[in-house]
Amino acid sequence: MDPTPVKHPEAEINATLSSCCGFLGEVTLTDSAIIILFAGMLGAGDMFSMITTSLLPLFNGICIIPMAWLAARIGSKKLIIRACTLSAIAYFLAVSSPFFGKWASAVLLTAILLFALCLTGFIAGWFPMLDSFLSRKRRPVFFSRMRFSHQLTAVLFLFLVGFAIGKEPSIWKLQLVLLIGAIVFTGRIFFISRIPVFDAQKREELGFKDGLMAAIGNKPLAGFSIYLFVLNLAAYGTIPLTTLYLKKHLNAPDNVIVIISAVALFGMLLGYFFSNKIIRHMGVKDSLLAFHVSLAFTNLSLFFIGKGNAITYILIAGLLLIYSFTVAAASIVSSSEMMALVKSDNKIMSMAFCGAFYYGGSGLSRMISSLILGAGLLSSEWHIGTMRICHYQTLFLIYTVFIVFAATFLILVPAIFPKGEYIYDVH
């Protein structure tokens, strides 16, 4: 028998608090200027630095389906707690990497790899656990509030870090920042443990093979998943690439880079806050089209910025704010659409199937970019008239073209071009 409805708001609060703790830790270690600067101090090049930001989404894409099977066997909450515990251990190993001397960069990469691998268990169990107490009407509101909250937490943290570390921080300062992130990350385990196990989290009837085949056979979900893969493949490398561009080509001070990183997170915060209003006003179809225009415009604008000074730093901060706003609003659409398209008898595997495409595209975007930079496949400099273009700017241009190309895959999105008969929970 389900717990009384009174406990559902309590579960939402604990889920939100766990998200605040976990997201702050994740961003600090895998998706902010902090880890790129930290890796650089340990002797890492462009390829290594970019790889550190790609491992979490890449492993999520690869491992989320088998982890979903495990979640269905042992329960979402139990898997989440175990996965986060192992991830926390890997996080503290990453913090200690400078103590390993010449092996420091190898230890850091190994620790981030282990962190990303273990955290796939959390990703696989997260949405099914939320679905056990989150009603259809509460989904968009909850996702907006939760993501707004965890984004605000990370933004405030990075702003404080940016003002505290100075223009040329020593490695111990960044190590201290990572240590704080690791400690806060463990709060996710505490708050998840306070969420009751609802009856909806019981084992699903379909096994691994049957569940996966059923997810593949869900044509609306499969089409939407392919669209998400292509979009993220085109769009997800922009922010870490901009960090490298600021550091290596525009010679921006480290604290300015961290503050710009915080501004980008603030853009996501605004995106989560206003996403519901945008979707209600414009509808899913027009919203997605606007998102493509915004993402392409931002990358094209970054392509034309070739000098580093106070004005261009402010301009880049503003562009990343717009970009992150768009990414955040698009993620709200993605989460709501995914939960609307899954079938009730196969939720865990269906969500994992969609997540594999979503995170796989995100991770591959950054991994491919890192390999391109590491292999030196792009010309270090070329010209358009009197304008000099470096290899970072070339990648921004490539991103622009592929984001426009990804718009052609909107024909696979059921909310835009519905095909056939299927179960669909309108938001």
Side-chain angles (χ1 to χ4, degrees):
M1 183 177 181
D2 281 346
T4 59
V6 176
K7 290 204 172 185
H8 287 232
E10 183 181 338
E12 289 188 20
I13 292 172
N14 282 310
T16 300
L17 291 173
S18 74
S19 183
C20 290
C21 293
F23 182 76
L24 187 151
E26 285 179 31
V27 165
T28 304
L29 182 63
T30 67
D31 201 22
S32 73
I34 298 297
I35 189 61
I36 292 178
L37 296 175
F38 186 68
M41 289 183 179
L42 297 181
D46 287 356
M47 184 176 74
F48 183 102
S49 298
M50 197 80 169
I51 285 176
T52 61
T53 69
S54 73
L55 289 176
L56 182 57
L58 186 62
F59 273 101
N60 285 341
I62 295 172
C63 301
I64 193 171
I65 290 179
M67 284 292 186
W69 175 83
L70 188 58
R73 302 280 75 77
I74 70 173
S76 299
K77 177 180 174 180
K78 186 178 293 185
L79 176 63
I80 287 173
I81 291 176
R82 292 178 180 179
C84 290
T85 300
L86 293 174
S87 296
I89 294 172
Y91 202 139
F92 283 106
L93 177 62
V95 173
S96 66
S97 59
F99 300 134
F100 288 84
K102 64 179 182 179
W103 299 101
S105 59
V107 170
L108 177 64
L109 184 61
T110 301
I112 295 176
L113 189 152
L114 291 173
F115 176 85
L117 180 61
C118 295
L119 207 61
T120 57
F122 163 76
I123 300 297
W126 178 241
F127 281 109
M129 185 185 70
L130 294 181
D131 191 61
S132 70
F133 62 81
L134 203 58
S135 66
R136 297 172 186 174
K137 292 182 180 180
R138 293 288 303 166
R139 289 171 189 166
V141 175
F142 170 78
F143 282 128
S144 292
R145 289 181 179 176
M146 178 196 72
R147 290 172 178 170
F148 177 86
S149 298
H150 75 212
Q151 207 73 35
L152 178 61
T153 304
V155 166
L156 293 176
F157 179 69
L158 286 181
F159 267 124
L160 290 173
V161 169
F163 286 111
I165 62 174
K167 293 184 178 181
E168 297 181 0
S170 59
I171 193 167
W172 72 264
K173 286 187 178 181
L174 296 184
Q175 193 175 14
L176 179 60
V177 172
L178 289 174
L179 177 61
I180 295 171
I183 294 171
V184 174
F185 178 81
T186 61
R188 172 179 278 173
I189 303 169
F190 172 76
F191 290 111
I192 290 289
S193 67
R194 293 170 58 87
I195 298 176
V197 177
F198 294 85
D199 281 354
Q201 288 177 258
K202 287 183 177 179
R203 288 177 54 178
E204 295 178 358
E205 296 298 325
L206 297 178
F208 178 82
K209 181 180 178 181
D210 292 338
L212 181 58
M213 294 307 296
I216 295 173
N218 184 344
K219 292 183 180 180
L221 179 67
F224 184 62
S225 300
I226 292 172
Y227 163 73
L228 291 178
F229 174 83
V230 177
L231 175 61
N232 285 357
L233 183 65
Y236 215 71
T238 298
I239 291 179
L241 179 66
T242 304
T243 301
L244 285 176
Y245 184 49
L246 285 163
K247 177 66 177 177
K248 300 295 183 67
H249 188 78
L250 301 183
N251 299 314
D254 288 355
N255 60 337
V256 170
I257 296 174
V258 174
I259 290 172
I260 291 175
S261 179
V263 170
L265 284 177
F266 182 70
M268 296 193 80
L269 185 151
L270 294 177
Y272 293 139
F273 185 79
F274 289 106
S275 58
N276 274 325
K277 296 179 182 178
I278 293 172
I279 297 167
R280 282 200 301 266
H281 178 70
M282 299 180 63
V284 173
K285 179 179 180 179
D286 290 342
S287 295
L288 289 175
L289 288 172
F291 295 158
H292 278 269
V293 172
S294 176
L295 295 174
F297 166 78
T298 305
N299 277 285
L300 187 61
S301 299
L302 289 169
F303 167 74
F304 283 107
I305 297 176
K307 295 182 180 180
N309 52 52
I311 294 175
T312 54
Y313 297 153
I314 293 172
L315 179 58
I316 289 173
L319 289 170
L320 290 190
L321 185 145
I322 294 171
Y323 199 83
S324 297
F325 179 98
T326 306
V327 169
S331 74
I332 296 296
V333 176
S334 301
S335 298
S336 298
E337 289 292 300
M338 176 193 69
M339 296 183 76
L341 293 170
V342 299
K343 295 181 178 179
S344 59
D345 62 343
N346 192 38
K347 289 184 177 181
I348 293 179
M349 186 57 70
S350 294
M351 291 178 186
F353 174 78
C354 186
F357 282 84
Y358 182 91
Y359 293 112
S362 304
L364 280 175
S365 177
R366 295 179 176 186
M367 179 62 74
I368 292 172
S369 297
S370 68
L371 294 177
I372 290 174
L373 291 173
L377 297 180
L378 301 176
S379 174
S380 59
E381 185 175 298
W382 54 285
H383 297 80
I384 298 179
T386 59
M387 179 181 174
R388 292 188 300 175
I389 310 296
C390 71
H391 56 297
Y392 299 111
Q393 291 166 281
T394 304
L395 269 178
F396 289 132
L397 184 61
I398 292 173
Y399 290 161
T400 302
V401 173
F402 272 89
I403 289 168
V404 174
F405 170 73
T408 63
F409 284 79
L410 285 168
I411 62 173
L412 299 176
V413 179
I416 296 179
F417 294 101
K419 294 180 180 180
E421 296 181 1
Y422 53 89
I423 299 173
Y424 181 75
D425 294 336
V426 180
H427 321 312

